[in-house]
Amino acid sequence: KDDVVFQLTERLREREDELQQVCHERDRLEDQLKLRGNLPVHLDVAYEELLAHCKEREEEHKKETEQHLREKFALENRCLNLEEKLEEQTRMIDAYEQEVIAEKDEMEKEIRKCHHRLELAVEEIQEKEQRMMSLEKMVDRLKDENDRLLD
């Protein structure tokens, strides 16, 4: 965008410089004509042609300037539209990131709960195993005592 605007601005400056040169030349010739007074016919025609050429160049310059301005405004509008789209996309991405973060936090919380329940279950199983072992030992002792009493 900046390159195009820069190029258009440079072309506009070049055209303005050309227009100033032509206008300066016209003014110089007009001054010369005023100093001479009565002019031969061919100089009158040359002056009229030069004047017509100057007006034509001014008109071309005006049209090119208007075209450059239209192009510049179109580019600026396009850039603004792209910036708005980018901002909207950024807002959408931010919102999505917030949703993902919230889901991640919720999942981590659920995982911690599951780990805690798992730890409690493991502890409960260990306690039951210890009781089972204790009961098995007790059964073995009772069995041994019963066998001893029966002998």
Side-chain angles (χ1 to χ4, degrees):
K1 169 195 165 191
D2 292 335
D3 289 340
V4 174
V5 171
F6 179 74
Q7 289 173 357
L8 292 175
T9 304
E10 284 301 311
R11 285 173 47 194
L12 181 62
R13 285 186 186 130
E14 289 171 6
R15 296 293 185 208
E16 287 176 344
D17 289 344
E18 288 176 19
L19 179 63
Q20 286 179 349
Q21 289 173 358
V22 169
C23 289
H24 179 69
E25 181 66 18
R26 181 193 66 202
D27 292 342
R28 188 182 64 75
L29 290 173
E30 282 179 349
D31 289 343
Q32 285 180 359
L33 289 175
K34 287 178 185 175
L35 292 175
R36 288 192 177 181
N38 292 334
L39 297 174
V41 173
H42 70 279
L43 286 179
D44 283 342
V45 171
Y47 172 74
E48 291 299 324
E49 288 175 357
L50 180 62
L51 191 58
H53 178 72
C54 287
K55 287 181 181 180
E56 182 180 311
R57 293 293 298 214
E58 285 178 20
E59 224 17 73
E60 287 175 9
H61 174 70
K62 182 179 176 183
K63 287 177 184 177
E64 287 177 2
T65 301
E66 290 171 354
Q67 179 63 28
H68 291 310
L69 287 174
R70 282 191 297 275
E71 290 173 2
K72 177 186 168 199
F73 291 138
L75 285 172
E76 287 175 349
N77 286 336
R78 183 168 181 234
C79 287
L80 287 173
N81 289 337
L82 289 173
E83 287 172 356
E84 288 173 3
K85 286 180 183 178
L86 178 64
E87 288 174 7
E88 178 63 27
Q89 292 293 324
T90 302
R91 283 192 296 273
M92 289 173 61
I93 289 171
D94 289 344
Y96 179 72
E97 284 178 349
Q98 292 301 320
E99 288 177 26
V100 169
I101 289 170
E103 286 179 23
K104 179 184 171 219
D105 290 345
E106 189 63 34
M107 288 177 162
E108 288 175 348
K109 184 178 175 183
E110 189 64 32
I111 288 170
R112 283 192 298 276
K113 285 180 183 178
C114 288
H115 278 295
H116 181 68
R117 283 185 287 203
L118 181 61
E119 288 171 358
L120 290 176
V122 166
E123 287 175 9
E124 187 177 323
I125 289 171
Q126 287 174 343
E127 288 174 8
K128 286 182 180 181
E129 284 178 352
Q130 285 177 352
R131 275 189 260 150
M132 284 289 282
M133 287 174 60
S134 175
L135 287 172
E136 284 176 359
K137 285 180 184 178
M138 191 186 313
V139 165
D140 285 343
R141 277 192 305 236
L142 287 172
K143 199 176 193 185
D144 286 343
E145 192 162 326
N146 187 29
D147 286 344
R148 197 176 42 105
L149 288 173
L150 288 175
D151 286 332

